[in-house]
Amino acid sequence: MYFNLLMNDFKRNKWKNGILLMFVSFSVTVAVIVAILLSQLFTAISSMYETANPPHFLQLHKGETAQDKLDEFNNSYKGLEHAQTVTLINISGDKISISNEKGKQVFLAESRLGISFVKQNDGYDVLLDEFRKPLSVNKGEIAVPIILTSRFNMEIGDTITVKNGEDVKTYKVSAYVYDGQMNSTMVSSTRFLISDEDFEELLNSDHEKEYMMQAWFTDNKEGSAYQNAYEESELNLPKNGQAVTYTMIFLLSAFKDILIAMILSFTGIFLVAVSLICLRYSVLADIEEDMKEIGTMKAIGISKKGIISLYLNKIRIITVAGSVIGLIIAISGSVFINQHISRTFGKQELGITALLFSVLTTFVMYAIVILFAKKILKRLSKATVVDLLVTEKGFIKKSKRIHKIRQNSPLPFDFLLSMQKVKRGYGIIFTLMLIVTTLMMMPFRTVQTMEDEEFVTYMGSPLYNLRIEVEQGENLESRNKKLYDILQEKFKAGEIAQIDTLRQVRLQGISGENEIVGIHIGTGETAGRGLKYIFGNAPTKSDEIVLSYLMSEELQKNTGDEVEIISSGKSKKFKVSGIYPDITSGGKTAKTVHSFFDVESEKYIYGIILADVDKASEITDELRNNLAGGYVIENMDEFLNQTFGNVTAQARNASLAVFVIGIFISGLIIALFIKLLLVKEGSALAMKKTLGIPLVSIIKQELYPILLSGSIGSLSGIVFVEMPGDKFLSGLLSTLGTGLKEFIFVDASILQLIAPPVILVAVLGIVSVCILVQIKKLDVMKYINE
């Protein structure tokens, strides 16, 4: 008997069951894709790191390395497993050209990443091939970093030429480098691998040499403690470059993919919520239509458990089918996920761990749907035979009676009637539009913020047209003087409107636990201005200082606290006036207007505002041509594009997919709701037809409350995203330790904010009208006979 009833239900409610099946499949697909992405991502990184073995701490330095002092310090440090010094041969991009077989030539001058030629290491910090195996090249060959291949169209077989005056060397591209520590455009450098013989030849040339002091520990979390000890050592160890710990290396490598996973996870959560809404109304529609049949089953003695099982078994079948479909789609789509991960971390196949996570995620989704269905079906046990067969109360709360409408109202009667109706029974439309709008807007606003030029303020730098850095190393002051003179000439010529100078020094601070912590402090009259502050504001007095978020965490200081800074053996107290986000230099920086002239400079940073912004590229090229090595000259638009372009492109694609899915979901749910509405209000609609009320007027009376509820829900979604939305995202990002404690959405135009609600409400109206016209086919005699 149950089997026959079940089959009859499937035949009678094909469209409702189909929609429910589709939503379950959607939800499972997204949930499993997120599980696969995260599993494959961390499996790929772990596999890469296992072979590449990137350092737990590295310190860059230009100049003499004092290897004997390094050895003395490392031998005295407990917990150190291995240490080595790697030599980098830095070559300016304008000296490197790439030629393909068709004769097309491209220079790497536009690359914002510092380019280093290196030889292979043994066992530690190993450069890998696409199969995550140690990479080797023969004399005359070169392996190019995978992160630059798409930007400069580098392919196997191309020729790379390095020209240094009269000295010209050529190499043939034989492989791609997968670099465990420099595999992201968010780092500052990248490495090309050449043979040991070619490396020794270049080493004897006059190219700039840089050294990377690397250390490994039995516990990779030891990096920060080692850094403090290294920087505070009385041996005066080499440290005029950037220091990076293992945690930051990992986060920079995975930031893009973690961001995509966050967007998909957010989408998955909302899809599950929408699916449960769909399930609720599908089940309610079923039992409302079957009200008399349910009453008859109760009257002839079929237990409530048996009746509930009838409907629950149908849901189980649909959920199992949807789960299997979703699982198959997600696993099929894993091919694209693996291709994406393989481009960054080496060839990646679908592993057993990812499959187990996929199956587990599917079971969890199944359990959520079934538990929710059981909760809905409890209504069956509360309804009596009299309720079902005599009073016909049913299972859905009926709308309140329409109150008297003022006859003198200037508003149309159909609209006033709708205002009365919307007060009850249309919560589903409001909730749906709230969820879908939020679902669409969160990824969109995230990408929009990352693409905005003001995003550079999250990197601890104000917004300028050009940013020029006089790099650490030999002849720093003379190189700075040369740049200063050139900039002053351009200022006098009217090409430059404003020049802000920041001198960086390295000092010591005392933490809340009285530990000495090394701090890189930017000093100057404009230090700290133009940044986005999480707390407080820029320093204005010589005894004020602002700290990056990660620096404030390490020092255990908040705004208003005093921090003790040690300079040339003397101590000076500063008041913390502000805390700002920073994802550069390991995220640990500070700024103050105090000069610290008695301290040797680490480097100089110039922020340039041009008189004519359109000439930014022209002036950038001119400065690069006039200045030799030892400078980093960046057009900020170009800098952001090269640093975050790949990240935002991926996120934008994910955002677009979410937008399309959101519109599709809205149409399906609205169709389901109106179908249920026609079942629930069938008798009242038939009565209106018998009273001679025009079809257009009836449709308006049903359409207006739908549009009104949807509009309010969609606008509420916009308000939610614009108010607590970025705070929610900030919470997620801050847990990653990237230095982004607060992520604030950039201002958006009214058009950008209202476009999604307008599109959604338009879809809402079109679908509603298409379904509501079925009122014309309503069988009035059926309701009269009943």
Side-chain angles (χ1 to χ4, degrees):
M1 177 181 174
Y2 285 160
F3 179 78
N4 291 333
L5 288 171
L6 201 59
M7 290 301 101
N8 288 334
D9 182 87
F10 274 115
K11 291 178 182 178
R12 189 174 70 251
N13 297 307
K14 291 179 182 178
W15 63 272
K16 276 185 294 188
N17 296 334
I19 291 176
L20 182 57
L21 176 67
M22 191 177 299
F23 274 107
V24 172
S25 301
F26 267 150
S27 301
V28 173
T29 298
V30 174
V32 173
I33 283 177
V34 171
I36 291 175
L37 175 59
L38 292 175
S39 174
Q40 292 291 81
L41 175 63
F42 287 102
T43 299
I45 294 177
S46 299
S47 177
M48 170 185 264
Y49 281 18
E50 186 177 341
T51 307
N53 200 1
H56 299 154
F57 169 80
L58 68 88
Q59 172 70 58
L60 292 168
H61 179 79
K62 293 178 181 178
E64 295 298 324
T65 59
Q67 190 61 46
D68 55 339
K69 292 183 179 180
L70 278 170
D71 293 339
E72 180 183 346
F73 174 77
N74 287 329
N75 290 334
S76 66
Y77 193 88
K78 294 181 180 180
L80 183 70
E81 181 183 277
H82 179 76
Q84 68 183 25
T85 300
V86 175
T87 303
L88 309 172
I89 302 175
N90 295 338
I91 302 178
S92 176
D94 57 4
K95 297 179 180 179
I96 304 173
S97 63
I98 307 162
S99 303
N100 58 26
E101 295 176 352
K102 297 179 180 179
K104 184 178 180 180
Q105 190 177 49
V106 178
F107 283 87
L108 297 186
E110 293 184 3
S111 174
R112 62 154 293 271
L113 297 178
I115 297 172
S116 300
F117 279 41
V118 299
K119 64 180 181 178
Q120 183 64 283
N121 298 315
D122 185 17
Y124 293 87
D125 190 22
V126 181
L127 301 180
L128 309 179
D129 62 15
E130 62 178 317
F131 300 102
R132 302 196 197 108
K133 302 295 182 184
L135 182 59
S136 62
V137 294
N138 299 318
K139 182 174 175 55
E141 295 180 342
I142 190 169
V144 297
I146 190 70
I147 61 172
L148 290 184
T149 54
S150 59
R151 165 76 178 169
F152 296 100
N153 298 315
M154 290 187 279
E155 296 181 354
I156 304 295
D158 288 352
T159 299
I160 288 186
T161 302
V162 179
K163 188 174 182 180
N164 185 30
E166 298 298 322
D167 185 21
V168 178
K169 295 187 182 298
T170 59
Y171 307 91
K172 185 176 182 179
V173 177
S174 61
Y176 299 128
V177 170
Y178 292 81
D179 193 333
Q181 64 164 300
M182 298 183 184
N183 69 332
S184 168
T185 53
M186 293 179 67
V187 298
S188 58
S189 304
T190 188
R191 295 185 284 188
F192 288 67
L193 178 65
I194 55 178
S195 68
D196 291 3
E197 297 94 323
D198 289 329
F199 183 81
E200 291 302 323
E201 288 182 12
L202 276 182
L203 197 60
N204 296 323
S205 65
D206 61 352
H207 291 294
E208 181 186 62
K209 315 300 186 298
E210 187 172 13
Y211 300 93
M212 186 159 44
M213 279 62 73
Q214 302 176 328
W216 287 259
F217 314 96
T218 50
D219 180 4
N220 62 35
K221 296 178 181 178
E222 186 71 17
S224 294
Y226 178 89
Q227 180 180 358
N228 287 334
Y230 183 99
E231 294 178 344
E232 307 311 320
S233 173
E234 295 179 355
L235 295 172
N236 191 26
L237 300 172
K239 51 180 179 290
N240 65 16
Q242 185 169 322
V244 182
T245 60
Y246 180 86
T247 302
M248 189 56 64
I249 291 172
F250 179 87
L251 287 172
L252 290 177
S253 296
F255 182 80
K256 174 182 67 177
D257 298 280
I258 290 174
L259 179 63
I260 300 300
M262 285 172 57
I263 291 176
L264 290 176
S265 299
F266 185 75
T267 304
I269 291 170
F270 278 92
L271 265 179
V272 170
V274 172
S275 296
L276 294 179
I277 292 173
C278 174
L279 173 66
R280 178 177 182 272
Y281 274 80
S282 178
V283 172
L284 289 177
D286 276 358
I287 59 180
E288 186 74 10
E289 283 187 284
D290 298 341
M291 182 170 57
K292 291 188 176 180
E293 287 81 354
I294 294 169
T296 303
M297 284 190 282
K298 284 198 170 200
I300 63 176
I302 297 177
S303 67
K304 61 184 180 183
K305 185 177 180 180
I307 298 172
I308 289 174
S309 295
L310 173 66
Y311 290 94
L312 192 59
N313 286 337
K314 184 193 80 167
I315 295 170
R316 284 193 178 109
I317 293 171
I318 292 173
T319 306
V320 167
S323 298
V324 171
I325 293 171
L327 182 62
I328 292 172
I329 293 173
I331 291 177
S332 301
S334 67
V335 174
F336 301 101
I337 295 174
N338 291 335
Q339 287 176 351
H340 165 70
I341 292 176
S342 296
R343 281 194 293 270
T344 307
F345 302 104
K347 195 169 180 62
Q348 179 71 19
E349 301 292 343
L350 187 64
I352 187 66
T353 304
L355 286 173
L356 289 175
F357 270 112
S358 301
V359 174
L360 179 61
T361 302
T362 304
F363 275 119
V364 169
M365 293 296 297
Y366 173 84
I368 291 173
V369 172
I370 297 304
L371 288 173
F372 190 73
K374 285 181 177 179
K375 184 177 180 180
I376 297 170
L377 289 169
K378 282 183 179 179
R379 297 192 183 196
L380 288 172
S381 60
K382 297 177 182 179
T384 66
V385 174
V386 175
D387 289 335
L388 296 169
L389 297 180
V390 181
T391 60
E392 296 186 355
K393 281 186 179 179
F395 305 97
I396 303 174
K397 294 178 181 179
K398 302 294 182 181
S399 300
K400 291 181 179 180
R401 291 181 178 275
I402 304 299
H403 298 292
K404 184 177 180 181
I405 298 174
R406 291 183 302 166
Q407 299 297 321
N408 60 348
S409 173
L411 297 174
F413 176 81
D414 292 333
F415 184 78
L416 291 172
L417 191 62
S418 301
M419 290 287 289
Q420 296 287 345
K421 293 184 66 174
V422 81
K423 294 179 180 179
R424 193 177 184 87
Y426 290 83
I428 171 63
I429 299 296
F430 172 85
T431 306
L432 170 69
M433 300 302 279
L434 170 64
I435 290 175
V436 173
T437 302
T438 305
L439 175 72
M440 292 164 61
M441 289 300 294
M442 279 289 282
F444 167 72
R445 295 289 280 130
T446 301
V447 173
Q448 186 184 40
T449 300
M450 293 187 69
E451 289 182 327
D452 190 85
E453 59 181 9
E454 289 190 10
F455 191 69
V456 73
T457 59
Y458 289 102
M459 305 182 75
S461 172
L463 180 61
Y464 296 112
N465 302 130
L466 301 181
R467 184 181 186 273
I468 306 174
E469 182 177 307
V470 186
E471 294 181 299
Q472 297 165 312
E474 298 177 352
N475 304 316
L476 173 66
E477 296 301 331
S478 61
R479 285 187 284 118
N480 177 59
K481 178 68 167 58
K482 181 179 180 180
L483 173 63
Y484 177 82
D485 291 342
I486 292 175
L487 293 180
Q488 285 301 314
E489 287 179 8
K490 290 190 172 295
F491 180 77
K492 292 175 182 177
E495 295 180 61
I496 294 177
Q498 180 180 324
I499 304 174
D500 289 345
T501 308
L502 200 67
R503 186 175 72 96
Q504 183 170 299
V505 297
R506 189 195 167 281
L507 301 173
Q508 298 170 328
I510 307 298
S511 72
E513 297 179 352
N514 290 321
E515 293 182 350
I516 296 178
V517 177
I519 309 178
H520 297 276
I521 303 179
T523 72
E525 293 181 1
T526 59
R529 295 183 192 173
L531 300 179
K532 287 188 181 297
Y533 283 90
I534 302 170
F535 308 109
N537 44 52
T540 55
K541 301 177 183 178
S542 63
D543 63 346
E544 291 182 338
I545 193 170
V546 291
L547 305 174
S548 68
Y549 170 65
L550 291 182
M551 193 74 257
S552 70
E553 290 282 293
E554 185 163 353
L555 290 172
Q556 299 176 329
K557 300 294 182 180
N558 295 312
T559 50
D561 293 346
E562 284 191 337
V563 59
E564 192 174 346
I565 303 296
I566 301 173
S567 169
S568 300
K570 298 179 181 179
S571 175
K572 178 178 174 59
K573 290 185 177 180
F574 288 81
K575 182 180 179 181
V576 179
S577 65
I579 295 173
Y580 60 92
D582 190 359
I583 59 177
T584 59
S585 301
K588 298 179 181 179
T589 56
K591 291 176 174 59
T592 179
V593 295
H594 188 81
S595 61
F596 290 113
F597 283 133
D598 58 334
V599 181
E600 184 180 355
S601 304
E602 272 194 316
K603 62 181 176 181
Y604 290 88
I605 301 167
Y606 290 85
I608 310 296
I609 295 179
L610 300 175
D612 185 354
V613 180
D614 294 333
K615 292 186 177 181
S617 296
E618 178 185 330
I619 294 176
T620 300
D621 292 338
E622 183 183 341
L623 288 171
R624 285 173 178 166
N625 292 330
N626 291 339
L627 296 168
Y631 303 90
V632 177
I633 305 168
E634 294 173 323
N635 176 333
M636 295 311 292
D637 289 338
E638 178 184 299
F639 169 77
L640 285 174
N641 181 51
Q642 290 195 39
T643 304
F644 297 106
N646 194 25
V647 178
T648 54
Q650 297 282 348
R652 195 186 311 112
N653 291 337
S655 176
L656 180 61
V658 170
F659 183 82
V660 174
I661 290 172
I663 291 176
F664 185 61
I665 284 173
S666 302
L668 289 176
I669 292 286
I670 292 161
L672 178 64
F673 171 79
I674 298 176
K675 285 282 188 179
L676 175 59
L677 183 71
L678 295 180
V679 172
K680 186 176 66 172
E681 302 290 342
S683 179
L685 294 172
M687 180 62 70
K688 290 178 181 179
K689 288 186 71 175
T690 58
L691 293 174
I693 298 175
L695 177 63
V696 172
S697 185
I698 297 174
I699 290 177
K700 285 181 180 179
Q701 291 170 18
E702 302 302 329
L703 178 63
Y704 287 161
I706 293 173
L707 293 178
L708 186 59
S709 301
S711 300
I712 295 172
S714 195
L715 290 174
S716 300
I718 295 294
V719 172
F720 173 79
V721 170
E722 291 303 304
M723 295 182 71
D726 48 8
K727 294 181 177 59
F728 169 76
L729 190 61
S730 298
L732 291 177
L733 289 173
S734 65
T735 59
L736 298 177
T738 59
L740 287 179
K741 172 67 175 177
E742 190 171 53
F743 188 93
I744 303 173
F745 290 148
V746 296
D747 294 336
S749 66
I750 297 298
L751 179 62
Q752 289 172 325
L753 291 178
I754 67 170
V758 169
I759 293 172
L760 281 175
V761 172
V763 171
L764 187 71
I766 292 169
V767 173
S768 299
V769 171
C770 291
I771 304 296
L772 286 171
V773 293
Q774 296 180 16
I775 294 174
K776 180 170 60 175
K777 301 177 182 179
L778 202 66
D779 188 354
V780 176
M781 294 305 299
K782 171 187 173 184
Y783 290 98
I784 292 175
N785 292 332
E786 290 180 354

